[in-house]
Amino acid sequence: MAAAAAPHGAGSRGRAGAVGAGRERGAAMARSVPLLWVLLPGLAALEPLSVGLAIGVASALTGYLSHPRFYCSYVECCPRAGQRLNATALKAQLDNRLFGQHLAKDVVLKAVMGFSNNPSPKKPLILSLHGWAGTGKNFLSQILAEQVHPAGLRSKFVHLFLATLHFPHQDQVKLYKEQLQNWIRGNVSACPSSVFIFDEMDKMHPGIIDAIKPFLDYYEEVDGVSYRKAIFIFLSNAGGDLINKAALDFWLSGKRREDIQLKDLERLLSVGVFNNKNSGLWHSSIIDRYLIDYFVPFLPLEQKHVKMCVRAEMTARGYAVDENIVQAVAEEMTYFPKEQKIYSDKGCKTVQAKLDIHEDLVMRDTKARG
């Protein structure tokens, strides 16, 4: 029976991962001793006092090379205990890179900073992000991962699971559950503040995610490992229809989009996802036990938000922002409902591809302005 592919992040790590960083520092210490003999080739001919001095220098050098500040400037290290996130930096990233999602920004910022500032949380932070494709769920999870571990998705402490890649076969659910438990146990042992992102939850076979329920619950430790500093993020399209309907109802009643509050959607969303047979959280004990801290709704994006995405993409490519191009790309997107055409049915997902079509015009305009 084939095993599931290893998730994005580091190579496979079991319990031995807990001492991996220590071994690396030990190796650095061992390498510092031969270095001393290179620096002091006549060491063997020195008098006892000189030899004692040299050994003292070697000890100091070894201690310096193995000090976390020095070592961690060259090798990625797990954040030290008590290290807090920068609220100002996180807010700036959300404001500058995530468009049209006032609810998601507010909820995630408060949830993450409250969790980070708590010296002894009772359980891991668990967020479940819901909405149609292209509304920013993946983007937000990447921003959050980068704030916890600067290397983001490239960090060996950030682990991305794709349901269709890592858990494709229904007849291997039992194997996947065992592998998932081992993977999470080993990586949290290595770094308590590990981040786990589960994408395509709406395509995950029901029951798989319940394998990690013991790690998400209110336990001091499970088999000697504490999971209380870890972050788990679930991404799903499930519930997107419910969110879109609620947003449209607000629009039809003349209310502002920004007036939508979490209480208007969260209960509706949690019940809808729990009863959705096409969701990996269908009848999940994780919901039943109220272990998910927040169900975060991502609202459908309007044309003004699509334009923001186009401008951001042009800037990221180093192009001058041309409003004619911005308008052209926005108009090439398709919108719903059919009559009012308010919301982009793909969010900002195809903005990059649409902008590629206008590449020649954009480059020509940028050169002309330069």
Side-chain angles (χ1 to χ4, degrees):
M1 181 159 27
H8 175 95
S12 181
R13 294 185 295 276
R15 289 187 179 275
V19 296
R23 288 176 177 170
E24 290 181 22
R25 284 195 293 271
M29 294 169 63
R31 287 192 294 269
S32 67
V33 176
L35 176 62
L36 179 65
W37 290 96
V38 173
L39 296 174
L40 301 173
L43 183 62
L46 295 178
E47 295 181 359
L49 182 61
S50 300
V51 172
L53 178 62
I55 292 175
V57 172
S59 299
L61 180 60
T62 298
Y64 178 75
L65 292 176
S66 62
H67 192 280
R69 287 188 178 179
F70 176 85
Y71 178 78
C72 295
S73 63
Y74 294 97
V75 177
E76 184 186 20
C77 294
C78 181
R80 63 185 181 276
Q83 185 172 332
R84 297 182 178 181
L85 299 184
N86 186 324
T88 303
L90 176 57
K91 185 179 186 304
Q93 287 293 307
L94 293 174
D95 288 341
N96 295 331
R97 298 171 60 188
L98 187 66
F99 307 118
Q101 302 299 350
H102 70 282
L103 279 177
K105 288 180 182 180
D106 183 58
V107 172
V108 170
L109 181 62
K110 290 179 179 178
V112 171
M113 293 314 305
F115 180 74
S116 173
N117 293 333
N118 185 347
S120 183
K122 302 299 183 184
K123 59 181 284 297
L125 176 64
I126 307 167
L127 303 173
S128 192
L129 315 185
H130 297 266
W132 272 16
T135 51
K137 301 184 300 296
N138 278 285
F139 212 30
L140 187 146
S141 64
Q142 291 174 29
I143 291 172
L144 180 52
E146 288 167 3
Q147 292 301 309
V148 181
H149 302 286
L153 293 180
R154 299 186 306 277
S155 170
K156 61 184 178 182
F157 305 124
V158 176
H159 312 278
L160 173 63
F161 299 86
L162 304 175
T164 54
L165 174 63
H166 299 116
F167 317 110
H169 306 297
Q170 188 166 8
D171 61 349
Q172 296 187 21
V173 166
K174 184 177 180 180
L175 173 63
Y176 297 151
K177 292 168 75 170
E178 181 181 343
Q179 290 178 328
L180 188 55
Q181 287 183 338
N182 291 336
W183 181 269
I184 292 177
R185 183 184 299 112
N187 283 286
V188 173
S189 296
C191 180
S193 59
S194 292
V195 176
F196 300 92
I197 302 172
F198 293 83
D199 198 1
E200 304 179 327
M201 284 295 297
D202 49 303
K203 298 179 178 65
M204 183 179 288
H205 300 298
I208 291 179
I209 203 65
D210 281 343
I212 67 171
K213 183 257 178 190
F215 307 150
L216 310 183
D217 216 327
Y218 292 83
Y219 297 125
E220 186 89 12
E221 290 184 348
V222 178
D223 292 336
V225 180
S226 174
Y227 298 86
R228 294 177 298 147
K229 287 289 188 179
I231 297 177
F232 292 81
I233 306 173
F234 303 137
L235 313 181
S236 178
N237 291 348
D241 291 342
L242 298 174
I243 297 169
N244 293 350
K245 183 181 183 305
L248 181 60
D249 288 344
F250 260 73
W251 187 87
L252 292 173
S253 63
K255 297 178 182 178
R256 295 188 319 132
R257 175 192 186 92
E258 290 73 22
D259 292 334
I260 301 176
Q261 299 180 39
L262 184 63
K263 66 181 181 180
D264 297 318
L265 294 171
E266 190 173 32
R267 175 63 180 168
L268 178 72
L269 195 53
S270 64
V271 173
V273 171
F274 182 78
N275 292 317
N276 188 338
K277 291 185 177 181
N278 295 320
S279 167
L281 291 170
W282 179 64
H283 285 190
S284 170
S285 62
I286 294 175
I287 297 180
D288 200 34
R289 285 277 298 167
Y290 302 102
L291 296 179
I292 293 178
D293 295 294
Y294 292 98
F295 288 87
V296 184
F298 279 68
L299 303 175
L301 299 181
E302 301 173 14
Q303 188 179 88
K304 64 181 180 181
H305 304 123
V306 173
K307 289 181 177 180
M308 292 178 183
C309 292
V310 178
R311 294 187 190 103
E313 179 62 21
M314 294 179 74
T315 301
R317 296 187 185 190
Y319 300 151
V321 175
D322 184 326
E323 289 301 324
N324 292 323
I325 300 295
V326 171
Q327 183 67 29
V329 172
E331 289 179 351
E332 289 175 7
M333 309 290 279
T334 53
Y335 298 85
F336 72 95
K338 186 176 181 180
E339 298 77 19
Q340 295 94 340
K341 296 183 178 179
I342 306 168
Y343 305 115
S344 169
D345 59 7
K346 296 184 182 67
C348 286
K349 199 173 187 69
T350 59
V351 161
Q352 291 185 350
K354 297 288 186 184
L355 190 57
D356 289 342
I357 299 175
H358 301 273
E359 188 90 24
D360 291 343
L361 288 175
V362 174
M363 293 182 67
R364 193 183 314 144
D365 183 63
T366 299
K367 289 180 179 178
R369 295 189 183 191

